[in-house]
Amino acid sequence: MANTETALKEALASIEGATGAALVDYTSGMALGTLGGGKSFDLNVAAAGNTDVVRAKMRTMEHLGLKAEIEDVLITLSDQYHLIRLLKGRSGNGLFLYLVLDSSRANLAMARHQLKRIEQDLEV
């Protein structure tokens, strides 16, 4: 089992094109851990903003009466992918992994696969 810091390090090291990663509590909007990003990309601001995305999608699904669970949310920009993976299980309730990828270097299918594997090993 990996802790937050180890999981974020693994995401940046093992996922091609990853430039930032965070573990976020979407009930509060707070990042529980961040790695990467930089001066031009504040992961704490991104974590708070993407909390709104997750909440809006969950609210919409509730209004539609959809019972399925969200696996991940993908936002594509002209030069980046933003991947949000909601954590499953009792220890991950209310949390999501957030990954920023350079779209010119990333393989989106592999990134999703790797992030799922990292989620399974994460102990919160």
Side-chain angles (χ1 to χ4, degrees), residues 33-48:
T34 63
L35 192 62
K39 288 184 179 184
S40 63
F41 194 90
D42 187 334
L43 280 168
N44 288 301
V45 172

Side-chain angles (χ1 to χ4, degrees), residues 7-26:
L8 297 178
K9 284 180 180 177
E10 184 175 350
L12 286 185
S14 68
I15 300 174
E16 183 72 26
T19 60
L23 178 64
V24 184
D25 177 348
Y26 64 78

